[in-house]
Amino acid sequence: TTPAAEALAFSPEGIFLSNGPGDPEPCTYAIEAARTLADRLPVFGICLGHQILGLACGGRTYKLKFGHRGANHPVKNLETGQVEITSQNHGFCVDPKLFERPELVLTHVNLNDGTVEGFRMRDRPVVSVQYHPEASPGPHDSHYLFEEFVSMMRARREGR
């Protein structure tokens, strides 16, 4: 429930929006904070944090008939063409209509059901994935996302 102003008072180099349980739409405090933070800092969202970012960007979420649970979920990275094996634990998903907005890019899709698994903003250092790239033990296919987030923070610090 930390407001954006309180988080910004710590002078962070970036914000990580982590996973968590449940329906993201009632988390209006987090959606508003994410909207403000994404305008000012590099932001990386996973799972619930991904859904919060989708809502902060003006999208909607919906409940999956059957949630994505466990390991070995194939996700295609649309930017590289590679398939990543992921760990997942969620029952809600970002509506793909969000990507009709030109400032947002769909980056990852679930190969089992075609649902949204990741996106980025074109003009801001904001990336997000639905699955759990931090899962351990488990697949390590997605560790590049953390490197990308660190690079975004470094670029901001160096004024690029």
Side-chain angles (χ1 to χ4, degrees):
T1 59
T2 304
E6 189 176 330
L8 290 168
F10 288 102
S11 300
E13 292 191 27
I15 297 290
F16 185 84
L17 300 175
S18 66
N19 49 316
D23 184 351
E25 286 196 19
C27 300
T28 55
Y29 55 89
I31 297 164
E32 184 56 40
R35 186 177 296 123
T36 299
L37 293 166
D39 281 340
R40 299 198 173 134
L41 295 168
V43 176
F44 181 19
I46 65 163
C47 199
L48 180 65
H50 161 82
Q51 296 162 11
I52 295 291
L53 274 173
L55 293 165
C57 290
R60 305 275 310 166
T61 57
Y62 63 93
K63 186 169 179 50
L64 294 165
K65 184 174 181 180
F66 300 102
H68 297 167
R69 312 280 181 220
N72 299 323
H73 289 262
V75 169
K76 185 171 185 176
N77 180 326
L78 299 176
E79 296 184 320
T80 67
Q82 289 194 294
V83 174
E84 302 167 15
I85 301 303
T86 67
S87 292
Q88 302 200 11
N89 187 22
H90 60 97
F92 290 83
C93 197
V94 173
D95 189 319
K97 290 179 184 170
L98 176 64
F99 305 102
E100 293 171 2
R101 301 174 69 131
E103 67 272 20
L104 300 169
V105 178
L106 177 65
T107 59
H108 297 76
V109 294
N110 187 297
L111 291 179
N112 288 331
D113 62 9
T115 54
V116 172
E117 290 285 349
F119 71 91
R120 67 177 171 81
M121 298 185 84
R122 285 188 201 278
D123 63 345
R124 286 184 246 162
V126 174
V127 294
S128 182
V129 291
Q130 177 61 71
Y131 52 92
H132 291 264
E134 86 293 357
S136 195
H140 297 265
D141 297 6
S142 304
H143 282 200
Y144 69 91
L145 293 163
F146 294 99
E147 293 168 8
E148 182 178 348
F149 183 50
V150 169
S151 292
M152 292 185 317
M153 291 186 291
R154 187 174 293 123
R156 180 178 178 273
R157 182 182 340 122
E158 295 170 359
R160 289 186 263 146

Coordinates of all heavy atoms in Angstrom, one line a residue, residues 38-107:
A38 N 6.0 4.5 -13.1 CA 6.4 4.2 -14.5 C 6.7 5.5 -15.3 O 7.4 5.4 -16.3 CB 5.3 3.4 -15.2
D39 N 6.2 6.6 -14.8 CA 6.5 7.9 -15.5 C 7.8 8.4 -15.0 O 8.3 9.4 -15.7 CB 5.4 9.0 -15.1 CG 4.1 8.8 -15.9 OD1 4.2 8.2 -17.0 OD2 3.1 9.3 -15.5
R40 N 8.4 7.9 -14.0 CA 9.6 8.5 -13.4 C 10.8 7.6 -13.3 O 12.0 8.1 -13.3 CB 9.3 9.0 -12.0 CG 8.2 10.0 -12.0 CD 8.2 10.8 -10.7 NE 7.2 11.9 -10.9 CZ 6.3 12.2 -10.0 NH1 6.3 11.5 -8.8 NH2 5.5 13.2 -10.2
L41 N 10.6 6.3 -13.3 CA 11.8 5.4 -13.0 C 11.6 4.1 -13.9 O 10.6 3.8 -14.4 CB 11.7 4.9 -11.6 CG 11.9 5.9 -10.5 CD1 11.6 5.3 -9.1 CD2 13.4 6.3 -10.5
P42 N 12.7 3.4 -14.0 CA 12.6 2.0 -14.6 C 11.7 1.2 -13.7 O 11.9 1.2 -12.5 CB 14.1 1.5 -14.6 CG 14.9 2.8 -14.7 CD 14.1 3.8 -13.8
V43 N 10.9 0.4 -14.3 CA 10.0 -0.5 -13.6 C 10.0 -1.9 -14.2 O 9.9 -2.0 -15.4 CB 8.5 0.1 -13.5 CG1 7.6 -0.9 -12.8 CG2 8.5 1.5 -12.9
F44 N 10.0 -2.9 -13.3 CA 9.9 -4.3 -13.8 C 8.8 -4.9 -13.0 O 8.9 -4.9 -11.7 CB 11.3 -4.9 -13.5 CG 11.4 -6.4 -14.0 CD1 10.5 -7.0 -14.9 CD2 12.4 -7.2 -13.5 CE1 10.6 -8.3 -15.3 CE2 12.5 -8.5 -13.8 CZ 11.6 -9.1 -14.7
G45 N 7.8 -5.5 -13.6 CA 6.7 -6.1 -13.0 C 6.7 -7.6 -13.3 O 7.0 -8.0 -14.5
I46 N 6.4 -8.4 -12.3 CA 6.2 -9.9 -12.6 C 4.9 -10.3 -11.9 O 4.4 -9.7 -10.9 CB 7.3 -10.7 -12.0 CG1 7.4 -10.7 -10.5 CG2 8.6 -10.4 -12.7 CD1 8.2 -11.8 -9.9
C47 N 4.2 -11.2 -12.5 CA 2.9 -11.8 -12.1 C 1.9 -10.7 -11.7 O 1.4 -10.0 -12.5 CB 3.2 -12.8 -11.0 SG 1.9 -14.0 -10.7
L48 N 1.6 -10.6 -10.4 CA 0.6 -9.6 -10.0 C 1.2 -8.2 -10.4 O 0.4 -7.3 -10.8 CB 0.3 -9.6 -8.5 CG -0.6 -8.6 -7.9 CD1 -2.0 -8.8 -8.5 CD2 -0.7 -8.7 -6.4
G49 N 2.5 -8.0 -10.2 CA 3.1 -6.7 -10.6 C 2.9 -6.4 -12.1 O 2.6 -5.3 -12.5
H50 N 2.9 -7.5 -12.9 CA 2.6 -7.3 -14.4 C 1.2 -6.9 -14.6 O 0.9 -6.0 -15.4 CB 2.9 -8.7 -15.0 CG 2.3 -8.9 -16.4 ND1 2.8 -8.5 -17.5 CD2 1.2 -9.6 -16.7 CE1 2.1 -8.8 -18.5 NE2 1.1 -9.5 -18.1
Q51 N 0.3 -7.5 -13.9 CA -1.1 -7.2 -14.0 C -1.4 -5.8 -13.5 O -2.2 -5.0 -14.2 CB -2.0 -8.2 -13.2 CG -1.9 -9.6 -13.7 CD -2.3 -10.7 -12.7 OE1 -2.9 -10.4 -11.7 NE2 -2.1 -11.9 -13.0
I52 N -0.8 -5.4 -12.5 CA -0.9 -4.0 -11.9 C -0.4 -3.0 -13.0 O -1.1 -2.0 -13.3 CB -0.2 -3.8 -10.6 CG1 -0.8 -4.7 -9.5 CG2 -0.1 -2.4 -10.2 CD1 -2.1 -4.3 -9.0
L53 N 0.7 -3.3 -13.6 CA 1.2 -2.4 -14.7 C 0.3 -2.4 -15.9 O 0.1 -1.3 -16.4 CB 2.6 -2.9 -15.1 CG 3.8 -2.4 -14.4 CD1 5.1 -3.0 -14.8 CD2 3.9 -0.9 -14.5
G54 N -0.3 -3.5 -16.2 CA -1.3 -3.5 -17.3 C -2.5 -2.6 -17.0 O -2.9 -1.8 -17.9
L55 N -2.9 -2.7 -15.8 CA -4.0 -1.8 -15.4 C -3.6 -0.3 -15.3 O -4.3 0.6 -15.7 CB -4.6 -2.3 -14.0 CG -5.3 -3.6 -14.1 CD1 -5.5 -4.2 -12.7 CD2 -6.6 -3.5 -14.8
A56 N -2.4 -0.1 -14.8 CA -1.9 1.3 -14.8 C -1.7 1.9 -16.1 O -1.8 3.1 -16.3 CB -0.5 1.3 -14.0
C57 N -1.5 1.1 -17.1 CA -1.3 1.5 -18.5 C -2.7 1.7 -19.2 O -2.7 2.0 -20.4 CB -0.5 0.6 -19.3 SG 1.3 0.6 -18.8
G58 N -3.8 1.5 -18.5 CA -5.1 1.7 -19.1 C -5.8 0.4 -19.6 O -6.8 0.5 -20.2
G59 N -5.2 -0.7 -19.3 CA -5.8 -2.0 -19.7 C -6.8 -2.6 -18.7 O -7.2 -1.9 -17.7
R60 N -7.2 -3.8 -19.0 CA -8.1 -4.5 -18.2 C -7.5 -5.9 -17.9 O -6.6 -6.3 -18.6 CB -9.5 -4.7 -18.9 CG -10.2 -3.5 -19.4 CD -11.0 -2.8 -18.4 NE -11.9 -3.7 -17.7 CZ -12.6 -3.4 -16.6 NH1 -12.4 -2.2 -16.1 NH2 -13.3 -4.2 -16.0
T61 N -8.0 -6.6 -16.9 CA -7.6 -7.9 -16.6 C -8.9 -8.8 -16.6 O -10.0 -8.3 -16.5 CB -6.9 -8.1 -15.3 OG1 -7.7 -7.6 -14.2 CG2 -5.5 -7.3 -15.3
Y62 N -8.7 -10.1 -16.7 CA -9.8 -11.0 -16.7 C -9.4 -12.3 -16.0 O -8.2 -12.6 -15.9 CB -10.4 -11.3 -18.0 CG -9.4 -12.0 -19.0 CD1 -9.4 -13.4 -19.1 CD2 -8.6 -11.3 -19.8 CE1 -8.5 -14.0 -19.9 CE2 -7.7 -11.9 -20.6 CZ -7.7 -13.3 -20.7 OH -6.8 -13.9 -21.6
K63 N -10.3 -13.0 -15.4 CA -10.1 -14.2 -14.7 C -10.0 -15.4 -15.7 O -10.9 -15.5 -16.6 CB -11.1 -14.5 -13.7 CG -10.8 -15.8 -12.8 CD -11.8 -15.8 -11.6 CE -11.6 -17.0 -10.7 NZ -10.3 -17.2 -10.3
L64 N -8.9 -16.2 -15.6 CA -8.8 -17.3 -16.5 C -9.7 -18.4 -16.0 O -9.9 -18.6 -14.8 CB -7.3 -17.9 -16.4 CG -6.3 -16.9 -17.0 CD1 -4.9 -17.4 -16.6 CD2 -6.4 -16.9 -18.5
K65 N -10.3 -19.2 -16.9 CA -11.1 -20.3 -16.6 C -10.3 -21.3 -15.7 O -10.8 -21.8 -14.7 CB -11.7 -21.0 -17.8 CG -12.7 -22.1 -17.5 CD -13.3 -22.7 -18.7 CE -14.3 -23.8 -18.3 NZ -15.0 -24.3 -19.5
F66 N -9.1 -21.6 -16.2 CA -8.2 -22.4 -15.5 C -6.9 -21.6 -15.3 O -6.3 -21.2 -16.3 CB -7.9 -23.8 -16.2 CG -9.1 -24.6 -16.4 CD1 -9.7 -24.6 -17.7 CD2 -9.7 -25.3 -15.4 CE1 -10.9 -25.3 -17.9 CE2 -10.8 -26.0 -15.6 CZ -11.4 -26.1 -16.9
G67 N -6.5 -21.4 -14.1 CA -5.2 -20.6 -13.9 C -4.0 -21.4 -14.4 O -4.0 -22.5 -14.7
H68 N -2.9 -20.6 -14.5 CA -1.7 -21.2 -14.9 C -0.9 -21.5 -13.7 O -0.6 -20.6 -12.9 CB -0.9 -20.2 -15.8 CG -1.5 -19.9 -17.1 ND1 -1.1 -18.8 -17.8 CD2 -2.5 -20.4 -17.7 CE1 -1.8 -18.7 -18.9 NE2 -2.7 -19.7 -18.9
R69 N -0.6 -22.8 -13.4 CA 0.0 -23.2 -12.2 C 1.2 -24.2 -12.5 O 1.0 -25.0 -13.4 CB -1.0 -23.9 -11.3 CG -2.3 -23.2 -11.1 CD -2.2 -22.2 -10.0 NE -3.6 -21.6 -9.9 CZ -3.8 -20.3 -9.7 NH1 -2.8 -19.4 -9.7 NH2 -5.0 -19.8 -9.6
G70 N 2.3 -24.0 -11.8 CA 3.4 -25.0 -11.9 C 4.4 -24.6 -12.9 O 4.5 -23.4 -13.4
A71 N 5.3 -25.5 -13.2 CA 6.5 -25.3 -14.0 C 6.2 -25.8 -15.4 O 5.2 -26.5 -15.7 CB 7.7 -26.0 -13.4
N72 N 7.2 -25.5 -16.3 CA 7.2 -26.0 -17.7 C 6.1 -25.4 -18.6 O 5.6 -26.1 -19.5 CB 7.2 -27.5 -17.7 CG 8.4 -28.1 -17.0 OD1 9.5 -27.6 -17.1 ND2 8.2 -29.2 -16.3
H73 N 5.7 -24.2 -18.4 CA 4.8 -23.5 -19.3 C 5.6 -22.9 -20.4 O 6.5 -22.0 -20.1 CB 4.0 -22.4 -18.5 CG 3.0 -23.0 -17.6 ND1 1.7 -23.1 -17.9 CD2 3.1 -23.4 -16.3 CE1 1.0 -23.6 -16.9 NE2 1.9 -23.8 -15.9
P74 N 5.3 -23.2 -21.7 CA 6.1 -22.6 -22.8 C 5.6 -21.2 -23.1 O 4.4 -21.0 -23.2 CB 5.8 -23.6 -23.9 CG 4.5 -24.1 -23.6 CD 4.4 -24.2 -22.1
V75 N 6.5 -20.2 -23.1 CA 6.2 -18.9 -23.4 C 7.1 -18.4 -24.6 O 8.3 -18.6 -24.5 CB 6.4 -18.0 -22.2 CG1 6.3 -16.5 -22.6 CG2 5.4 -18.3 -21.1
K76 N 6.5 -17.8 -25.6 CA 7.3 -17.3 -26.7 C 7.7 -15.9 -26.6 O 6.8 -15.0 -26.3 CB 6.6 -17.5 -28.1 CG 7.4 -17.1 -29.2 CD 6.8 -17.5 -30.5 CE 7.7 -17.2 -31.7 NZ 7.2 -17.7 -33.0
N77 N 8.9 -15.6 -26.7 CA 9.4 -14.2 -26.7 C 9.3 -13.7 -28.1 O 10.0 -14.2 -29.0 CB 10.9 -14.1 -26.2 CG 11.5 -12.8 -26.2 OD1 11.1 -11.9 -27.0 ND2 12.3 -12.5 -25.2
L78 N 8.3 -12.8 -28.3 CA 8.0 -12.3 -29.7 C 9.1 -11.5 -30.3 O 9.2 -11.3 -31.5 CB 6.7 -11.5 -29.7 CG 5.5 -12.3 -29.2 CD1 4.3 -11.4 -29.2 CD2 5.3 -13.5 -30.2
E79 N 10.0 -10.9 -29.4 CA 11.1 -10.1 -29.9 C 12.3 -10.9 -30.4 O 13.0 -10.5 -31.3 CB 11.5 -9.1 -28.9 CG 10.4 -8.1 -28.6 CD 10.7 -7.0 -27.6 OE1 11.4 -7.3 -26.6 OE2 10.2 -5.9 -27.8
T80 N 12.5 -12.1 -29.8 CA 13.6 -12.9 -30.2 C 13.2 -14.2 -31.0 O 14.0 -14.8 -31.6 CB 14.5 -13.4 -29.0 OG1 13.6 -14.3 -28.2 CG2 14.9 -12.2 -28.2
G81 N 12.0 -14.6 -30.8 CA 11.5 -15.8 -31.4 C 11.7 -17.1 -30.6 O 11.3 -18.2 -30.9
Q82 N 12.5 -16.9 -29.5 CA 12.8 -18.0 -28.6 C 11.6 -18.4 -27.7 O 10.8 -17.6 -27.3 CB 14.0 -17.7 -27.7 CG 15.3 -17.6 -28.5 CD 16.5 -17.6 -27.6 OE1 16.7 -16.7 -26.8 NE2 17.3 -18.7 -27.7
V83 N 11.6 -19.7 -27.4 CA 10.6 -20.2 -26.4 C 11.3 -20.4 -25.1 O 12.4 -21.0 -25.0 CB 10.0 -21.5 -26.9 CG1 9.0 -22.1 -25.9 CG2 9.2 -21.3 -28.3
E84 N 10.7 -19.9 -24.1 CA 11.2 -20.0 -22.7 C 10.3 -20.9 -21.9 O 9.1 -21.0 -22.1 CB 11.2 -18.6 -22.0 CG 12.0 -17.6 -22.8 CD 11.8 -16.2 -22.3 OE1 11.3 -16.0 -21.2 OE2 12.2 -15.2 -23.1
I85 N 10.9 -21.7 -21.1 CA 10.2 -22.6 -20.2 C 10.0 -21.9 -18.9 O 11.0 -21.5 -18.3 CB 10.8 -24.0 -20.0 CG1 11.0 -24.6 -21.4 CG2 10.1 -24.9 -19.1 CD1 9.7 -24.8 -22.2
T86 N 8.8 -21.7 -18.4 CA 8.6 -20.8 -17.3 C 7.8 -21.5 -16.2 O 7.2 -22.5 -16.4 CB 7.7 -19.6 -17.7 OG1 6.4 -20.0 -18.1 CG2 8.4 -18.8 -18.9
S87 N 7.9 -20.9 -15.0 CA 7.1 -21.2 -13.8 C 6.0 -20.2 -13.7 O 6.2 -19.0 -13.9 CB 7.9 -21.3 -12.6 OG 8.9 -22.3 -12.6
Q88 N 4.8 -20.7 -13.4 CA 3.7 -19.7 -13.3 C 2.7 -20.1 -12.1 O 2.7 -21.2 -11.7 CB 2.8 -19.8 -14.6 CG 3.7 -19.4 -15.8 CD 2.9 -19.0 -17.0 OE1 1.7 -18.7 -16.9 NE2 3.6 -18.9 -18.1
N89 N 2.0 -19.1 -11.6 CA 1.1 -19.3 -10.5 C 0.1 -18.1 -10.5 O 0.3 -17.2 -9.7 CB 1.8 -19.5 -9.2 CG 0.8 -19.8 -8.1 OD1 -0.3 -20.4 -8.4 ND2 1.2 -19.6 -6.9
H90 N -0.8 -18.1 -11.4 CA -1.8 -16.9 -11.5 C -3.1 -17.4 -12.0 O -3.2 -18.4 -12.8 CB -1.2 -15.8 -12.3 CG -0.9 -16.1 -13.7 ND1 -1.8 -15.9 -14.7 CD2 0.2 -16.8 -14.3 CE1 -1.2 -16.3 -15.9 NE2 -0.1 -16.9 -15.6
G91 N -4.1 -16.6 -11.7 CA -5.5 -16.9 -12.1 C -6.1 -15.8 -12.9 O -7.2 -15.9 -13.4
F92 N -5.3 -14.7 -13.1 CA -5.8 -13.5 -13.9 C -4.8 -13.2 -15.0 O -3.7 -13.6 -14.9 CB -6.0 -12.3 -13.0 CG -7.1 -12.5 -12.0 CD1 -7.0 -13.2 -10.8 CD2 -8.4 -12.0 -12.3 CE1 -8.0 -13.4 -10.0 CE2 -9.5 -12.1 -11.5 CZ -9.3 -12.8 -10.3
C93 N -5.3 -12.5 -16.0 CA -4.5 -12.2 -17.2 C -4.8 -10.8 -17.7 O -5.9 -10.3 -17.6 CB -4.8 -13.2 -18.2 SG -3.5 -13.3 -19.5
V94 N -3.8 -10.2 -18.3 CA -4.0 -8.9 -18.9 C -4.7 -9.1 -20.3 O -4.3 -9.9 -21.1 CB -2.6 -8.1 -19.2 CG1 -2.8 -6.9 -20.0 CG2 -2.0 -7.8 -17.8
D95 N -5.7 -8.3 -20.5 CA -6.5 -8.3 -21.8 C -5.6 -7.9 -22.9 O -5.0 -6.8 -22.8 CB -7.7 -7.4 -21.6 CG -8.7 -7.6 -22.8 OD1 -8.2 -7.7 -23.9 OD2 -9.9 -7.6 -22.5
P96 N -5.5 -8.6 -24.0 CA -4.7 -8.2 -25.1 C -5.1 -7.0 -25.9 O -4.3 -6.4 -26.6 CB -4.7 -9.4 -26.1 CG -5.9 -10.2 -25.7 CD -6.2 -9.9 -24.2
K97 N -6.3 -6.5 -25.6 CA -6.7 -5.2 -26.2 C -5.8 -4.1 -25.8 O -5.8 -3.0 -26.5 CB -8.2 -4.9 -25.9 CG -9.2 -5.9 -26.6 CD -10.6 -5.5 -26.2 CE -11.5 -6.6 -26.8 NZ -12.9 -6.5 -26.3
L98 N -5.1 -4.2 -24.7 CA -4.2 -3.2 -24.3 C -3.2 -2.8 -25.3 O -2.8 -1.7 -25.5 CB -3.5 -3.6 -23.0 CG -2.4 -2.7 -22.4 CD1 -3.0 -1.4 -22.0 CD2 -1.7 -3.4 -21.3
F99 N -2.8 -3.8 -26.2 CA -1.8 -3.6 -27.1 C -2.2 -3.0 -28.5 O -1.5 -2.9 -29.4 CB -1.0 -4.9 -27.3 CG -0.5 -5.4 -26.0 CD1 -1.2 -6.4 -25.3 CD2 0.5 -4.7 -25.3 CE1 -0.8 -6.8 -24.1 CE2 0.9 -5.1 -24.1 CZ 0.2 -6.1 -23.4
E100 N -3.5 -2.5 -28.4 CA -4.0 -1.6 -29.5 C -3.4 -0.2 -29.3 O -3.4 0.6 -30.3 CB -5.5 -1.6 -29.5 CG -6.1 -2.9 -29.9 CD -7.6 -3.0 -29.7 OE1 -8.2 -2.0 -29.3 OE2 -8.2 -4.1 -29.9
R101 N -2.9 0.0 -28.1 CA -2.2 1.3 -27.8 C -0.8 1.3 -28.4 O 0.0 0.4 -28.1 CB -2.2 1.5 -26.3 CG -3.7 1.5 -25.7 CD -3.6 1.6 -24.2 NE -3.1 2.9 -23.9 CZ -3.7 3.7 -23.0 NH1 -4.8 3.3 -22.4 NH2 -3.2 4.9 -22.7
P102 N -0.5 2.3 -29.2 CA 0.9 2.3 -29.9 C 2.0 2.4 -28.9 O 3.2 2.0 -29.3 CB 0.8 3.5 -30.8 CG -0.3 4.3 -30.3 CD -1.3 3.5 -29.6
E103 N 1.8 2.9 -27.7 CA 3.0 3.1 -26.8 C 3.3 1.8 -26.1 O 4.3 1.8 -25.3 CB 2.7 4.2 -25.8 CG 1.6 3.9 -24.8 CD 0.2 4.3 -25.2 OE1 -0.1 4.5 -26.5 OE2 -0.7 4.4 -24.4
L104 N 2.6 0.7 -26.3 CA 2.8 -0.5 -25.6 C 3.2 -1.6 -26.6 O 2.6 -1.6 -27.7 CB 1.6 -0.9 -24.8 CG 1.3 0.1 -23.7 CD1 -0.1 -0.3 -23.1 CD2 2.3 0.1 -22.6
V105 N 4.1 -2.5 -26.3 CA 4.5 -3.6 -27.2 C 4.3 -4.9 -26.4 O 4.8 -5.1 -25.3 CB 6.0 -3.5 -27.5 CG1 6.4 -4.6 -28.4 CG2 6.2 -2.1 -28.2
L106 N 3.5 -5.8 -27.1 CA 3.4 -7.2 -26.6 C 4.7 -7.9 -26.8 O 5.1 -7.9 -28.0 CB 2.2 -7.9 -27.3 CG 1.9 -9.3 -27.0 CD1 1.5 -9.5 -25.5 CD2 0.9 -9.9 -27.9
T107 N 5.3 -8.5 -25.8 CA 6.6 -9.1 -26.0 C 6.6 -10.6 -25.8 O 7.5 -11.3 -26.3 CB 7.6 -8.5 -25.0 OG1 7.1 -8.7 -23.6 CG2 7.9 -7.0 -25.3

